[in-house]
Amino acid sequence: MLQAALRSGAASRRCVFETFARRLPSGRRYGVLAGTGRVLDAIEDFRFGPEELRDLRERRVVDEDTLGFLADYRFDGDIWGYAEGETYFPYSPVLVVESDFAHGVILETVILSILNHDSAVASAASRMTGAAGSRPVIEMGSRRTHDEAAVAAARAAYIAGFSSTSNLEAGRRHGVPTGGTAAHAFTLLHESEREAFEAQVASLGADTTLLVDTYDVTEGVRTAVEVAGTSLGGVRLDSGDLVVQASEVREQLDALGATETQIVVTSDLDEYAIAALAAAPVDTYGVGTRVVTGSGHPTASMVYKLVAREDDEGRMIGVAKKSKDKQSVGGRKYALRRRNPLGVVEAEVLGIGEQPVGDADDRDLLVRLVEGGEVVGREHASLEAARARHEASVAELPRSAHQLSQGQPAVETVFLTDTP
Amino acid sequence: MLQAALRSGAASRRCVFETFARRLPSGRRYGVLAGTGRVLDAIEDFRFGPEELRDLRERRVVDEDTLGFLADYRFDGDIWGYAEGETYFPYSPVLVVESDFAHGVILETVILSILNHDSAVASAASRMTGAAGSRPVIEMGSRRTHDEAAVAAARAAYIAGFSSTSNLEAGRRHGVPTGGTAAHAFTLLHESEREAFEAQVASLGADTTLLVDTYDVTEGVRTAVEVAGTSLGGVRLDSGDLVVQASEVREQLDALGATETQIVVTSDLDEYAIAALAAAPVDTYGVGTRVVTGSGHPTASMVYKLVAREDDEGRMIGVAKKSKDKQSVGGRKYALRRRNPLGVVEAEVLGIGEQPVGDADDRDLLVRLVEGGEVVGREHASLEAARARHEASVAELPRSAHQLSQGQPAVETVFLTDTP
């Protein structure tokens, strides 16, 4: 595409590319945008170095003119987007790139890869933290997803309200709080459960969490309190019927005087399992596989579409594919979140042309992220800001957004143009 | 865990860790192991540099003794495994690590991340190439998965029989053949479809693939042949009822004299959609989202378990968690694929202790990958060898393995010990 457009001259036409999801994953009420900060980093670093150029030349992927373009490549256009952590709905233009064709088209894969992955994780994570209420949720899914995706997943889950991650690299690279627990291997390494607990408490103090289900839970809890005393930080349950077990363990801990000892539950939890444990005396949830794989929806299925371009006379015109099953709406858009006077969201309003003004309850959604190739909106994609934004954005959604059952998007997307 | 074990001295105990899946994803007949080559690279490179150590110190994640251990960390143990591309079944010990506890336990996350991701993709890809028969399948899912996972997914899909990928970095880094097509944006960039096709053919020659469904397919095919002539390489269909459309387009191409022009179909294909197109005149499939997300099963759910360790007297003993729902089998194992005299697989035979000898139809599955920290089995994890192995391994499975319908694993896993 790039080579052909460079040759025909069309590569220099001004274009608007829009990133959006045509629909939410089946049954979901809202999506959570994550990855914007990683997108900004990726665009700043998007270069073709000597090794990449040599490879493309040797394998004859593109011609010399195109190699020359790639060697000099620096993104020089403008980018707007929803701030990171913001909720989104079908057709929400979460990232909008304006540049010439060549500079914009080449970013498609990296932008979509990041936003599709990170938003899938954040969208699932948001349902889990919603179901958990005020109880903390720890992300511990690194081992069930790609080695680098694990780091990004920890970041995305934190944005959507997870309290911490077991991925230390996510702590180092992104500043996500980290924590962890011992595995069954640690208990099995020792001659007895007691010996394992003694080793852990000797090294980490009584304020640690002991894994009590390697052999027999009742025995494990008794031994744990004997070894660590009643100031034991927590016990972890990783198997069995957690609802029943949590109650039994709570009773046992209280009877032993360990009334402050917390109960951490893990074991293939998802938002439904968390909701089912709402009445159980659980203090903390650990979630692995289901959050890093998007709880059944591992991609947000966003697309990156050309929606407007310069015509032969230099005017910008809206363009769209004519297809029954893949609808796009041409033209550069504005995006507003329409709220009622109580602050509850009523609609996602998208339109082309003049943005309606004057309604104080409308919230403008697009912020400037990149201007002439320079990142200018880093503050809209910082980790803590995104986490706070997610919380605020979810809080203003109508109540139906918080239902875990299958349903329609919580608010409707309204187009203020005659094309749907 | 590491800190407590270093302090108690248990860290130096010889251990065997086994990587296996307790079950295949629901309904699947077999799994395909991928990622071994990436695991070997990761273990060779597994180091804690100044930045990582500084971060762990500043955030007080571990104590000074542990930091010292990490600073000197080099894996020094032995690793056996199934060769890459091999099929696997429940409990198949696809990667076995023997070392002291400290050196082995620390590799858990990186080994599982790589094998769980890559094997999930390869297992799904294998069903797709099986359904496609002799027709080539192109991997084009980069935009729907994490940016780095995309590169690994292209590699894993190629091992499982995909012909090429649209991910250029997978070509550079791993040697996967690459290819691509134009997107709708390229057509929309131009004043007309004809102008777009002319630009593409001018740059890439008539032997290119033109995307014909941006406006009207019949019109698009006519224009494509007018522009490129009857030697047009291919047309791509990316929407609509592909079964009906492929037949119509084939008839139209033949009537126009473009009898050699191929039909490439894309649009959310998976193994079922590919199978449904078996009777349609399709030449090549392009698969995106569904292969990179494991076609409904984005992780292989493998675990890394301590199965044997040195006891106080220095003897190796088998260990296993006692849990009803999470069974493990203690002890270092052998693994054989039992075949009947016709070469058809009858069972996955796992056992502890002396390996049965003398049956010429049994195939030994574990190969030496790492010895005393040195990679010695790189040839068992090279890309082309893995691709050939996948083909041979799938070919010897019983016919039921090739059914796409939900079912049991194609062969049973048999334990030649008294523990299940």
Side-chain angles (χ1 to χ4, degrees):
Chain A
M1 275 201 284
L2 178 63
Q3 177 180 316
L6 286 170
R7 185 174 158 141
S8 78
S12 62
R13 285 189 172 164
R14 195 85 187 156
C15 286
V16 179
F17 295 92
E18 191 181 294
T19 310
F20 61 94
R22 290 195 180 91
R23 60 193 80 81
L24 300 179
S26 173
R28 291 279 181 86
R29 311 306 180 107
Y30 63 94
V32 175
L33 176 69
T36 312
R38 294 211 302 123
V39 166
L40 297 181
D41 292 343
I43 290 175
E44 278 186 328
D45 295 345
F46 204 81
R47 300 282 185 277
F48 291 80
E51 283 186 37
E52 285 83 9
L53 295 169
R54 189 181 325 117
D55 174 68
L56 295 175
R57 177 177 287 119
E58 282 174 5
R59 295 197 293 119
R60 299 179 187 212
V61 174
V62 288
D63 64 17
E64 286 297 320
D65 285 350
T66 310
L67 288 172
F69 173 84
L70 295 177
D72 295 336
Y73 184 82
R74 304 280 184 279
F75 180 70
D76 58 5
D78 301 325
I79 300 182
W80 297 260
Y82 283 31
E84 188 162 9
E86 185 63 84
T87 54
Y88 70 86
F89 298 93
Y91 293 97
S92 296
V94 295
L95 201 83
V96 181
V97 174
E98 184 167 340
S99 67
D100 68 22
F101 179 77
H103 282 81
V105 75
I106 208 170
L107 296 178
E108 170 170 358
T109 303
V110 71
I111 287 174
L112 287 180
S113 287
I114 293 173
L115 295 185
N116 272 327
H117 173 268
D118 293 11
S119 299
V121 173
S123 298
S126 180
R127 288 161 62 86
M128 294 169 183
T129 54
S134 59
R135 296 173 178 174
V137 189
I138 309 172
E139 188 281 307
M140 29 208 307
S142 290
R143 67 195 69 183
R144 296 296 177 89
T145 187
H146 178 276
D147 34 318
E148 273 295 321
V151 183
R155 179 182 182 277
Y158 183 69
I159 287 172
F162 272 55
S163 59
S164 58
T165 177
S166 62
N167 190 301
L168 291 172
E169 179 65 5
R172 188 183 75 81
R173 209 185 292 178
H174 300 301
V176 181
T178 59
T181 69
H184 296 110
F186 185 78
T187 300
L188 295 171
L189 172 68
H190 293 83
E191 293 295 318
S192 67
E193 191 173 48
R194 178 178 300 271
E195 207 177 274
F197 289 173
E198 283 169 352
Q200 187 172 334
V201 171
S203 175
L204 297 161
D207 188 30
T208 188
T209 298
L210 296 171
L211 177 60
V212 293
D213 71 345
T214 305
Y215 304 109
D216 175 80
V217 172
T218 306
E219 190 68 37
V221 170
R222 188 182 307 126
T223 307
V225 177
E226 280 173 18
V227 169
T230 53
S231 60
L232 172 62
V235 295
R236 177 161 79 104
L237 300 169
D238 184 45
S239 52
D241 181 338
L242 296 174
V243 175
V244 173
Q245 260 193 119
S247 294
E248 289 173 357
V249 168
R250 182 73 271 156
E251 279 179 31
Q252 189 186 356
L253 285 170
D254 289 347
L256 292 167
T259 53
E260 301 298 310
T261 299
Q262 301 219 321
I263 297 177
V264 182
V265 295
T266 55
S267 186
D268 286 335
L269 298 183
D270 62 8
E271 62 267 45
Y272 304 103
I274 290 171
L277 285 160
V282 165
D283 298 286
T284 300
Y285 302 98
V287 180
T289 306
R290 296 294 287 179
V291 65
V292 298
T293 58
S295 198
H297 300 288
T299 177
S301 295
M302 290 177 187
V303 293
Y304 181 85
K305 293 293 168 189
L306 181 67
V307 293
R309 66 161 171 86
E310 211 174 344
D311 69 8
D312 282 348
E313 274 84 51
R315 290 170 310 206
M316 292 301 281
I317 57 165
V319 295
K321 177 172 182 291
K322 301 286 179 294
S323 159
K324 279 169 203 147
D325 59 337
K326 291 187 175 172
Q327 205 166 55
S328 299
V329 180
R332 166 93 185 282
K333 295 179 193 61
Y334 58 82
L336 302 171
R337 192 141 301 169
R338 177 146 295 165
R339 298 175 297 182
N340 70 17
L342 298 172
V344 179
V345 175
E346 293 190 319
E348 185 83 339
V349 179
L350 311 179
I352 294 169
E354 201 65 33
Q355 182 166 324
V357 286
D359 193 333
D361 297 318
D362 283 356
R363 191 155 64 79
D364 206 349
L365 291 165
L366 287 166
V367 296
R368 172 82 82 157
L369 296 168
V370 176
E371 200 169 336
E374 294 297 313
V375 173
V376 296
R378 184 71 65 182
E379 73 275 18
H380 302 300
S382 78
L383 190 69
E384 294 301 334
R387 184 172 158 89
R389 187 171 301 107
H390 164 263
E391 192 176 345
S393 181
V394 167
E396 66 180 16
L397 296 180
R399 280 199 194 152
S400 65
H402 309 296
Q403 294 172 2
L404 294 180
S405 58
Q406 299 267 315
Q408 296 299 312
V411 300
E412 213 179 336
T413 303
V414 177
F415 289 94
L416 290 189
T417 47
D418 46 358
T419 41
Chain B
M1 275 202 283
L2 178 63
Q3 177 180 315
L6 286 170
R7 183 174 161 144
S8 77
S12 62
R13 286 190 171 163
R14 195 87 187 152
C15 286
V16 180
F17 295 92
E18 192 180 292
T19 311
F20 61 94
R22 290 194 181 94
R23 61 194 79 82
L24 300 179
S26 175
R28 291 279 180 88
R29 311 305 180 108
Y30 64 94
V32 175
L33 176 67
T36 312
R38 294 211 302 123
V39 166
L40 297 181
D41 292 343
I43 291 175
E44 278 186 329
D45 295 343
F46 204 81
R47 301 281 185 279
F48 291 79
E51 282 185 37
E52 285 84 8
L53 295 169
R54 188 181 325 118
D55 173 68
L56 295 175
R57 178 177 286 119
E58 281 174 6
R59 295 196 294 119
R60 300 180 186 211
V61 174
V62 287
D63 63 18
E64 286 298 320
D65 285 350
T66 309
L67 288 172
F69 172 85
L70 295 177
D72 295 336
Y73 184 82
R74 305 280 185 277
F75 180 70
D76 57 5
D78 301 326
I79 301 181
W80 297 261
Y82 282 31
E84 188 162 10
E86 186 63 84
T87 54
Y88 70 85
F89 298 94
Y91 293 98
S92 296
V94 295
L95 201 83
V96 181
V97 174
E98 183 166 344
S99 67
D100 69 21
F101 179 77
H103 282 80
V105 75
I106 208 170
L107 296 177
E108 170 169 355
T109 302
V110 71
I111 287 174
L112 287 179
S113 288
I114 293 173
L115 296 185
N116 273 327
H117 173 268
D118 292 12
S119 300
V121 173
S123 298
S126 180
R127 289 161 61 86
M128 294 169 184
T129 55
S134 60
R135 295 173 177 172
V137 190
I138 310 171
E139 188 281 306
M140 30 207 307
S142 290
R143 68 196 68 183
R144 295 296 176 89
T145 187
H146 178 276
D147 34 318
E148 274 295 322
V151 184
R155 180 181 182 278
Y158 183 69
I159 287 172
F162 272 54
S163 58
S164 59
T165 176
S166 63
N167 190 300
L168 291 171
E169 178 66 6
R172 189 184 74 80
R173 207 186 292 179
H174 299 301
V176 181
T178 59
T181 68
H184 296 110
F186 185 77
T187 300
L188 295 171
L189 172 68
H190 293 84
E191 293 296 317
S192 68
E193 192 172 48
R194 177 179 301 271
E195 206 177 275
F197 290 173
E198 284 169 351
Q200 187 172 335
V201 170
S203 174
L204 297 161
D207 188 31
T208 188
T209 298
L210 296 172
L211 176 60
V212 293
D213 72 344
T214 305
Y215 304 109
D216 175 80
V217 172
T218 307
E219 189 68 36
V221 171
R222 188 183 306 126
T223 306
V225 178
E226 280 174 18
V227 169
T230 53
S231 62
L232 172 62
V235 295
R236 177 160 79 102
L237 300 170
D238 183 45
S239 53
D241 181 339
L242 295 174
V243 176
V244 172
Q245 259 192 120
S247 294
E248 289 174 357
V249 167
R250 182 74 270 157
E251 278 179 33
Q252 189 186 357
L253 285 169
D254 290 348
L256 291 168
T259 54
E260 301 298 310
T261 299
Q262 301 218 321
I263 297 177
V264 181
V265 295
T266 56
S267 187
D268 286 336
L269 297 183
D270 62 8
E271 61 267 47
Y272 304 103
I274 290 172
L277 285 159
V282 166
D283 298 285
T284 300
Y285 302 98
V287 181
T289 307
R290 295 295 287 178
V291 67
V292 299
T293 58
S295 198
H297 300 288
T299 178
S301 295
M302 290 177 185
V303 293
Y304 181 86
K305 293 294 168 187
L306 181 68
V307 294
R309 65 162 171 85
E310 211 176 344
D311 69 8
D312 281 348
E313 274 84 50
R315 291 169 311 207
M316 291 302 282
I317 56 166
V319 295
K321 178 172 183 289
K322 302 284 180 295
S323 160
K324 279 168 206 148
D325 59 336
K326 289 188 179 174
Q327 207 167 54
S328 299
V329 181
R332 167 92 186 281
K333 293 175 196 63
Y334 59 80
L336 302 170
R337 191 141 302 168
R338 177 145 294 165
R339 297 176 297 181
N340 69 19
L342 298 173
V344 179
V345 175
E346 292 189 320
E348 185 84 338
V349 179
L350 310 180
I352 294 169
E354 202 65 32
Q355 182 166 323
V357 286
D359 192 333
D361 297 319
D362 283 357
R363 190 155 65 79
D364 207 350
L365 291 165
L366 287 166
V367 295
R368 173 80 81 156
L369 296 169
V370 176
E371 200 168 338
E374 293 298 312
V375 173
V376 295
R378 182 72 64 180
E379 72 275 18
H380 302 301
S382 78
L383 190 68
E384 293 300 334
R387 183 172 159 89
R389 188 171 301 106
H390 164 263
E391 191 176 345
S393 181
V394 168
E396 67 179 18
L397 296 180
R399 279 198 196 153
S400 64
H402 309 295
Q403 293 172 3
L404 294 180
S405 57
Q406 298 268 314
Q408 296 299 313
V411 301
E412 213 178 336
T413 302
V414 178
F415 289 94
L416 289 189
T417 48
D418 47 357
T419 40

